[in-house]
Amino acid sequence: MKVILFMIGDYPVRAYGTIIAIAILLSLGVALYLARGSEYRKHLWDVVFYVILGAIVGARCFSRERTIRGIFSNRLPFGRVDYRSKEGS
């Protein structure tokens, strides 16, 4: 799978973000359909706002954590782990 689907100017549109956006829109459509005629329908837009906000913050935290781990992996004693057992080889 391609990581970058296409470019809009200098901005890359990534496959992961596109899949997340499609999933949020489809789940909103299903939720609106299932909540028709219910008092919960008006709350779905608030839930979608918090889901999108959480997805953005979570993606940034995950990206930052991977970057920080990569920076310090050579300097910290617990940064790199050798999973091969020296006793068994």
Side-chain angles (χ1 to χ4, degrees), residues 56-74:
I56 292 170
V57 170
R60 290 295 160 196
C61 288
F62 178 73
S63 174
R64 181 173 301 267
E65 186 267 334
R66 281 189 8 204
T67 304
I68 290 172
R69 185 185 303 162
I71 291 170
F72 293 113
S73 65
N74 295 331

Side-chain angles (χ1 to χ4, degrees):
M1 186 166 104
K2 293 173 65 173
V3 175
I4 297 175
L5 295 177
F6 55 90
M7 301 285 285
I8 299 177
D10 290 337
Y11 182 76
V13 177
R14 301 183 189 278
Y16 180 74
T18 305
I19 291 171
I20 295 295
I22 291 171
I24 290 172
L25 291 174
L26 286 175
S27 63
L28 175 64
V30 169
L32 286 172
Y33 176 76
L34 292 175
R36 66 185 185 275
S38 168
E39 73 239 15
Y40 300 112
R41 189 176 176 104
K42 63 183 176 185
H43 299 292
L44 289 176
W45 294 104
D46 295 333
V47 171
V48 168
F49 171 75
Y50 290 117
V51 165
I52 292 172
L53 183 66
I56 292 170
V57 170
R60 290 295 160 196
C61 288
F62 178 73
S63 174
R64 181 173 301 267
E65 186 267 334
R66 281 189 8 204
T67 304
I68 290 172
R69 185 185 303 162
I71 291 170
F72 293 113
S73 65
N74 295 331
R75 295 177 183 86
L76 297 176
F78 53 85
R80 289 191 177 177
V81 178
D82 187 13
Y83 292 107
R84 295 175 291 176
S85 173
K86 293 183 181 182
E87 298 169 5
S89 41

